[in-house]
Amino acid sequence: DAGVTQSPTHLIKTRGQHVTLRCSPISGHKSVSWYQQVLGQGPQFIFQYYEKEERGRGNFPDRFSARQFPNYSSELNVNALLLGDSALYLCAARRSWESSTDTQYFGPGTRLTVL
Amino acid sequence: QQQVKQSPQSLIVQKGGISIINCAYENTAFDYFPWYQQFPGKGPALLIAIRPDVSEKKEGRFTISFNKSAKQFSLHIMDSQPGDSATYFCAAPMIPSGAGSYQLTFGKGTKLSVIP
């Protein structure tokens, strides 16, 4: 099975622009979560989707939104980009959404730079 | 508020030595403690995990020691190798405010450098 894939690998945007990041989970893994990892910090939870429904949202502004498609792939959208949005955006997949011990498999991330 | 506090921030170990990374937590509802390893340009990958009903778990050169009363757990890397040079994160699953399911809360990470 291929692992979690993300696109694009790198992205450079300017303040005020909009960005869309994409994620394809491992086959059979219906839950997708998005994390933001600022340089030198651990990943911070943004969203979780399961079966196309939002199951959780972290402490991020409404400029951040996401959706999940019937094939379980997902998009993260960020509007009105700020310099502080520069980070590595990680997608994580797991089989279920309820279990605390279900392993989360991370993709390689999208490195977003906002100038 | 940092739910999981990790130390040290960086660590330099000689090849063949023991690397030790520590984490402390406050929330006694945490029931699973994974460690993730992240290489530059890659996403975090699960290395080893432990549940609080055991005091130690070993997988190859990697061992987690768990002290429930002290609310601390640590990662030990025996016979450290240059290939172990990476950033290590401890984590715990929690239900964030407003969320309906468990998500991982991570420590700030420890950058390990193993020198030949």
Side-chain angles (χ1 to χ4, degrees):
Chain A
D1 268 341
V4 177
T5 59
Q6 293 185 242
S7 63
T9 306
H10 295 89
L11 206 49
I12 299 175
K13 293 284 189 179
T14 56
R15 280 179 297 175
Q17 284 190 310
H18 161 90
V19 69
T20 298
L21 311 180
R22 296 178 176 83
C23 169
S24 290
I26 301 169
S27 176
H29 288 61
K30 301 179 180 180
S31 170
V32 171
S33 295
W34 287 94
Y35 289 80
Q36 180 196 64
Q37 186 177 20
V38 173
L39 198 62
Q41 301 288 321
Q44 297 252 331
F45 169 67
I46 309 175
F47 282 111
Q48 186 200 18
Y49 276 78
Y50 182 80
E51 292 280 12
K52 296 177 289 180
E53 287 188 22
E54 183 181 301
R55 297 291 182 170
R57 171 187 280 259
N59 189 23
F60 279 80
D62 291 343
R63 298 184 296 105
F64 288 77
S65 63
R67 55 179 177 165
Q68 186 177 34
F69 299 98
N71 66 353
Y72 306 113
S73 66
S74 177
E75 280 183 357
L76 175 70
N77 296 284
V78 187
N79 293 322
L81 285 167
L82 303 174
L83 295 179
D85 295 331
S86 296
L88 180 68
Y89 288 85
L90 295 162
C91 173
R94 56 182 179 168
R95 291 192 180 275
S96 69
W97 66 283
E98 308 101 322
S99 171
S100 63
T101 61
D102 207 19
T103 299
Q104 292 207 35
Y105 297 93
F106 286 85
T110 293
R111 171 69 64 187
L112 172 65
T113 302
V114 182
L115 302 176
Chain B
Q1 182 186 2
Q2 196 74 23
Q3 295 284 339
V4 182
K5 295 182 180 177
Q6 185 173 346
S7 62
Q9 190 173 352
S10 63
L11 185 60
I12 300 174
V13 173
Q14 205 85 29
K15 178 183 174 182
I18 302 173
S19 304
I20 302 174
I21 304 171
N22 301 298
C23 275
Y25 65 96
E26 288 296 323
N27 190 338
T28 56
F30 290 160
D31 64 353
Y32 178 66
F33 299 93
W35 283 91
Y36 278 78
Q37 179 188 55
Q38 186 176 26
F39 292 104
K42 304 287 187 182
L46 179 65
L47 185 64
I48 186 173
I50 196 170
R51 299 200 69 153
D53 52 351
V54 298
S55 60
E56 186 175 282
K57 182 174 181 180
K58 184 176 180 179
E59 290 183 2
R61 296 185 294 110
F62 302 91
T63 300
I64 300 179
S65 297
F66 187 81
N67 186 330
K68 190 172 182 178
S69 60
K71 291 187 282 187
Q72 294 176 347
F73 59 107
S74 59
L75 174 69
H76 295 237
I77 305 174
M78 312 300 287
D79 187 26
S80 299
Q81 299 296 313
D84 297 330
S85 297
T87 300
Y88 293 81
F89 294 95
C90 58
M94 60 178 289
I95 301 178
S97 175
S101 67
Y102 288 99
Q103 297 301 329
L104 290 174
T105 181
F106 286 85
K108 291 191 174 184
T110 297
K111 185 174 181 180
L112 172 65
S113 300
V114 181
I115 53 177

